[in-house]
C-alpha cells in the first residue's frame, strides 16, 4: 500500500500553483502542510496560515516526510535539498541547474542516507524521459540522446522562423507567457538545455559531467541570412543538446543550434513543446514529445514524482553503479555552418576540412568539419555579433 | 540487489531470436535454460540440447522462475501463462490477443498467486507505453489515447500512399520483411490494433473490455478514390485505434481508418513505425514514437520486462483497483467519410447529420455524423467491396 506523504513545499510560483491545481482534483493520500515563500507580502490564493518565510518550518518539522522544492535560486535549493535528504526526508525538485551541478554528490547522499531525490520536472517538463532512461533503457546501449529541451528558445525559433517575427518581440512574448526564465540568456544562450543534457547523460551513460565543461552556443546571434539559408534548403534551425556515444567508450556532449530536415522527428516540434530522440542499439530510434514548459505540464511531472514517493521509488543510477559508464570526451569531429565577418576567425578555428565556402558583400559562410575541442577553446571568439555557428548534417 | 532469473522460453521465432541476440551482449544475471519449440526438425543456431518440444521441460521444472512466452497461438499461450503464474513463475508475454482476451482473469490470478505478468512487447513494439501508463500517468485523467499500433498496415499505407505501390505488392513486401502476421486480416482488418487498444485502455482507464465488443474496420477496402480524396486535401489515411474519455464517466473505443492532417503528430509516422498520442488533463498532449515491429525492437521491449522481473516488478492495475474506472460505452457520435455504391446503405446507416454529399459516375461519398453503435450494428454491410469508411475531423 502507499505511504501517506506530508509535504513541505518551497516556492509557490507558476509550477507550484499548477501543482496545487492538479492535487486539488485528486485523492492521493497526501497533505501539503506548509509553503515556504520569499515574499510574505504577496497576496496568495490559499489561507495565510499555510505560508511562512521561515525554512525551519519545513526542515525542522519531523512530521514532514517529503520536501518539494520549486525555487529559482540554485544555491538555496542545494542547501535545502542536502539538508532534507540528510534528515530522512525525500525530495522532489525541478531545479535543473542545482541538480546538474551537484548530481554526483546528491547521488552519494541518497545512497548514504537511504533517501530519494526525484527530478523529472527538471528535464523537458511533462516528458517522462528520466523515468524511461532509468526504468526502460537501463540495459540498452544508447547511441545518442538529443532533442529540444528548452521551450522558450524553441518558441522564439518558431515565431521567428515560421511567422517572421522579430527576435526581440518573440522573446518578450515568451516571457509574458511565463515559459522563459527571468534571465533570457539561460534559455537563448543554451545554458538551460545544457543543465538538462548533463542530467540526461548521467542517466543514459552513467557519467556525471560538470556542466561547466560542456560547450553551449545559443540562438542569440541568429541572423536573417541564417534563416534564409535554412529556408532555401527546406531546413529549420533548432537549438539541440546532444549526448553521443563514440566507439562504446566515450560520450560527447554539446548544445548547438542545428539545421535539421523534415526527416528528423524534431522538425515538427514547435513553440513551447519539447522532444527527446533516443537512438538505442536494439529498440532503434525512439521519440518522446510533450509540453516542455508551463505550470501544468511541469506540475504534472512533479506530481508523478510525488506519487512515486508514496511507493518509496528511487532512481537506481544503475549504469553508474555497474561501472558501465562511458568516459567524457571533447575529441569529436562536428560538421558545422559558420557565418562570419572577419576572415581571421576562420583561420583561428582551424577547420580540419572545408566543404563549402561562400562570399557575398553582406554574407560570408563556411561549411566544414571541426573538432569540438576547438570550438570550446575559441568559444568567446565565436559568440560575437556578426558570427553564428550551427551544426549541419 | 537483483534476483537471478532462470528462464524457460516458448518459441524461437523472429522475436525470440532478436531477444537472444540482445541478451548475448549483456551481463544480466540471467540464464535461458530451455526453449520449447513446435518443430523439432528445424535447424537452430544454438546447441540442440537447449531445445525440446515438451512444455513440461519448462512448466514442471522448479528451478525455472521465469517464463518468456513468444508463440503465435493465443490459446496455447493462455494455457502456458495461467499454469506458470499459478505455479509461482513470473511470465513475460508478447501475445496481444491472449492478453486482451483474458486480461481480467490474468490480473486476478497475478494478485491471487503473487506472481507477475508483463507484456510491454505485446503493444507497439519498442514503445514503453504500458510502463508509462502504469508508472507515470497513474494519477492523470487521460482524455484520449490513440495512435498507430500496427506496423504492417502502416507500412502498407506508406507504400500505397507515398510511393503509389499496389496494395497487394505492399502487403507481400511487409510479409517478406517479417512484420506482418501470417494471416494478413489480423493486421489490415484492424484486429491486431484492436487487441492492443483493449490492453492500453485497461491501463489508461481501469476498464477491462472484451475485444469482441470493439468496432474494428481496416484498410482492406481502401480504394484509389479515397487516396485521391485525401491527397487533394493534403491529408493522409492512417489506421488508428482510439480510446476516448467522455464526460469523465465513459470510455469509448474503436479502430478506424482516419484522415489526418499534418498538424497531427501521427502524420509523419511512416512504414513499420508506431506512435502513441496521449492527451492528459495536465501533462497535455504527449507523443511516443518508435519501431512497432521486428525482432530487435520487440525483443528490446521483452528484455525490459525480463530485466524488470529481476526487481520483482509488477503492474499495479491501479486505476482498476482504485475503482476510478470509466464505464465502457458505444454511445458516441463520430464524424465519418463513407464511400459507397448502393444508396440503400446510406439510408440504413441513419446518419444523424449529413454535412457533404458527392455524386459522380464512378465515385460517391458522404461525410456526416453517425453514432458508433450504428456502425457496430451494420458492420457487415459496411465491410464490403465498393465501400470504405474512415473517420474525418
Amino acid at each position: 500500500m502507499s505511504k501517506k506523504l506530508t509535504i513541505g513545499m518551497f516556492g509557490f510560483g507558476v509550477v507550484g500553483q499548477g501543482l496545487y491545481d492538479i492535487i486539488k482534483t485528486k485523492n492521493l493520500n497526501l497533505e501539503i502542510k506548509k509553503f515556504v515563500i520569499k515574499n510574505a507580502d504577496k497576496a496568495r490564493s490559499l489561507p495565510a496560515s499555510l505560508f511562512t518565510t521561515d525554512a525551519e518550518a519545513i526542515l525542522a518539522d519531523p512530521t514532514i516526510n517529503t520536501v518539494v522544492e520549486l525555487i529559482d535560486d540554485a544555491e538555496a535549493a542545494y542547501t535545502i535539498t542536502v539538508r532534507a535528504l540528510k534528515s530522512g526526508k525525500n525530495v522532489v525538485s525541478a531545479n535543473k541547474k542545482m541538480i546538474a551541478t551537484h548530481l554526483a554528490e546528491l547521488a552519494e547522499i541518497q545512497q548514504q542516507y537511504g533517501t530519494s531525490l526525484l527530478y523529472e520536472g527538471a528535464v523537458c517538463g511533462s516528458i517522462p524521459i528520466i523515468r524511461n532512461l532509468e526504468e526502460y533503457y537501463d540495459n540498452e546501449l544508447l547511441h545518442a540522446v538529443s532533442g529540444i529541451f528548452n521551450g522558450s528558445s524553441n518558441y522564439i525559433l518558431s515565431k521567428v522562423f515560421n511567422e517572421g517575427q522579430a527576435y526581440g518581440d518573440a522573446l518578450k512574448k515568451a516571457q509574458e507567457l511565463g515559459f522563459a526564465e527571468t534571465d533570457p540568456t539561460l534559455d537563448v544562450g543554451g545554458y538551460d538545455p545544457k543543465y538538462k543534457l548533463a542530467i540526461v547523460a548521467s542517466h543514459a551513460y552513467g557519467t556525471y559531467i560538470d556542466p561547466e565543461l560542456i560547450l553551449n552556443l545559443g540562438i542569440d546571434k541568429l541572423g536573417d541570412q541564417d534563416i534564409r539559408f535554412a529556408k532555401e534548403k527546406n531546413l529549420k534551425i533548432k537549438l539541440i543538446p546532444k549526448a553521443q556515444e563514440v566507439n562504446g567508450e566515450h560520450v560527447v556532449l554539446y548544445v548547438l543550434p542545428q539545421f535539421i530536415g523534415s526527416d528528423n522527428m524534431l522538425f515538427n516540434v514547435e513553440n513551447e513543446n519539447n522532444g527527446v530522440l533516443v537512438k538505442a542499439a536494439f529498440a532503434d530510434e525512439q521519440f518522446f514529445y510533450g509540453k516542455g514548459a508551463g505550470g501544468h505540464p511541469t506540475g504534472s511531472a512533479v506530481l508523478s514524482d510525488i506519487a512515486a514517493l508514496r511507493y518509496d521509488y528511487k532512481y537506481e543510477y544503475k549504469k553508474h553503479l555497474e561501472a558501465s559508464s562511458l568516459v567524457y570526451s571533447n575529441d569529436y569531429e562536428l560538421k558545422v555552418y559558420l557565418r562570419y565577418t572577419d576572415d581571421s576567425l576562420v583561420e583561428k578555428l582551424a577547420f580540419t576540412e572545408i566543404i563549402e565556402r561562400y562570399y557575398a558583400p553582406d554574407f560570408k559562410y563556411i561549411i566544414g568539419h571541426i573538432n569540438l575541442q576547438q570550438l570550446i577553446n575559441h568559444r568567446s571568439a565565436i559568440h560575437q555579433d556578426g558570427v553564428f555557428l550551427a551544426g549541419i548534417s
Side-chain angles (χ1 to χ4, degrees), chain A:
Chain A
M1 275 320 297
S2 75
K3 161 171 133 182
K4 162 111 198 262
L5 301 188
T6 305
I7 296 175
M9 197 176 298
F10 288 86
F12 194 66
V14 181
V15 175
Q17 177 71 59
L19 182 64
Y20 196 83
D21 291 348
I22 302 173
I23 289 176
K24 263 196 319 211
T25 69
K26 311 276 164 190
N27 182 5
L28 281 178
N29 196 22
L30 58 85
E31 177 205 353
I32 304 184
K33 192 172 172 187
K34 196 61 85 177
F35 291 93
V36 169
I37 39 129
K38 217 159 54 182
N39 186 346
D41 301 329
K42 222 167 172 179
R44 308 283 173 180
S45 53
L46 303 174
S49 61
L50 279 171
F51 294 92
T52 172
T53 55
D54 178 16
E56 293 306 310
I58 289 175
L59 292 172
D61 181 345
T63 69
I64 289 178
N65 56 15
T66 308
V67 169
V68 177
E69 176 283 295
L70 298 168
I71 60 178
D72 261 0
D73 179 342
E75 274 317 295
Y78 169 69
T79 311
I80 290 164
T81 299
V82 168
R83 183 134 167 241
L85 289 174
K86 287 188 174 177
S87 62
K89 301 185 199 303
N90 294 326
V91 179
V92 175
S93 169
N95 197 310
K96 44 247 163 197
K97 184 178 178 185
M98 183 273 281
I99 292 157
T101 310
H102 300 285
L103 191 49
E105 184 195 351
L106 292 170
E108 186 64 35
I109 292 174
Q110 289 176 74
Q111 195 153 30
Q112 205 182 330
Y113 290 85
T115 42
S116 173
L117 169 65
L118 303 181
Y119 40 80
E120 190 66 77
V123 183
C124 296
S126 60
I127 302 176
I129 185 61
I130 304 297
R131 205 72 80 84
N132 276 283
L133 289 171
E134 270 289 305
E135 298 290 292
Y136 198 74
Y137 298 110
D138 51 345
N139 295 300
E140 272 262 33
L141 173 65
L142 302 178
H143 293 314
V145 184
S146 63
I148 291 170
F149 289 10
N150 181 262
S152 61
S153 62
N154 200 56
Y155 176 89
I156 293 166
L157 286 172
S158 286
K159 295 296 162 191
V160 169
F161 224 83
N162 306 338
E163 297 175 25
Q165 283 192 19
Y167 180 86
D169 293 346
L171 171 59
K172 216 175 122 211
K173 184 81 182 154
Q175 287 176 315
E176 278 167 20
L177 288 170
F179 43 75
E181 303 280 344
T182 324
D183 173 6
T185 314
L186 286 175
D187 296 314
V188 298
Y191 292 89
D192 168 272
K194 178 165 83 164
Y195 299 133
K196 294 168 179 169
L197 178 65
I199 298 171
V200 161
S202 69
H203 290 275
Y205 295 108
T207 313
Y208 301 121
I209 299 143
D210 180 357
E212 295 291 315
L213 299 175
I214 303 170
L215 175 73
N216 61 299
L217 286 168
I219 57 164
D220 45 334
K221 305 296 182 192
L222 179 69
D224 292 342
Q225 299 107 320
D226 312 312
I227 295 172
R228 216 165 50 226
F229 175 90
K231 285 192 171 169
E232 281 170 10
K233 295 175 165 52
N234 290 317
L235 303 173
K236 286 181 186 171
I237 297 170
K238 296 287 186 186
L239 181 56
I240 299 186
K242 184 164 189 177
Q244 168 87 49
E245 165 262 330
V246 184
N247 299 328
E249 284 178 16
H250 293 101
V251 60
V252 167
L253 280 77
Y254 51 90
V255 180
L256 286 180
Q258 297 271 355
F259 292 93
I260 59 169
S262 61
D263 57 335
N264 189 315
M265 293 300 292
L266 300 174
F267 191 81
N268 289 318
V269 177
E270 297 290 5
N271 299 317
E272 75 273 29
N273 292 298
N274 279 193
V276 185
L277 265 178
V278 177
K279 292 214 185 195
F282 293 103
D284 212 314
E285 184 172 281
Q286 306 255 306
F287 176 62
F288 302 80
Y289 169 92
K291 285 258 183 314
H296 281 175
T298 305
S300 81
V302 173
L303 178 64
S304 271
D305 282 348
I306 294 173
L309 286 178
R310 297 183 306 154
Y311 299 90
D312 284 318
Y313 179 71
K314 282 182 174 60
Y315 298 143
E316 299 204 32
Y317 303 95
K318 222 185 284 177
K319 287 186 180 177
H320 181 75
L321 293 175
E322 291 179 356
S324 52
S325 309
L326 302 185
V327 176
Y328 179 65
S329 164
N330 287 318
D331 183 14
Y332 185 67
E333 194 153 275
L334 290 166
K335 187 175 172 188
V336 302
Y337 156 103
L338 175 79
R339 173 172 55 81
Y340 62 99
T341 44
D342 187 348
D343 287 304
S344 70
L345 176 64
V346 176
E347 277 171 54
K348 197 186 292 178
L349 288 178
F351 280 80
T352 50
E353 190 193 354
I354 288 175
I355 298 165
E356 287 181 40
R357 197 152 186 170
Y358 176 84
Y359 301 88
D362 64 336
F363 183 24
K364 291 194 275 189
Y365 74 81
I366 203 163
I367 292 175
H369 291 282
I370 192 166
N371 195 285
L372 176 58
Q373 188 59 56
Q374 277 293 100
L375 294 181
I376 293 172
N377 296 346
H378 298 289
R379 190 185 184 286
S380 61
I382 298 165
H383 189 247
Q384 280 188 50
D385 288 345
V387 180
F388 179 72
L389 184 137
I392 189 163
S393 52

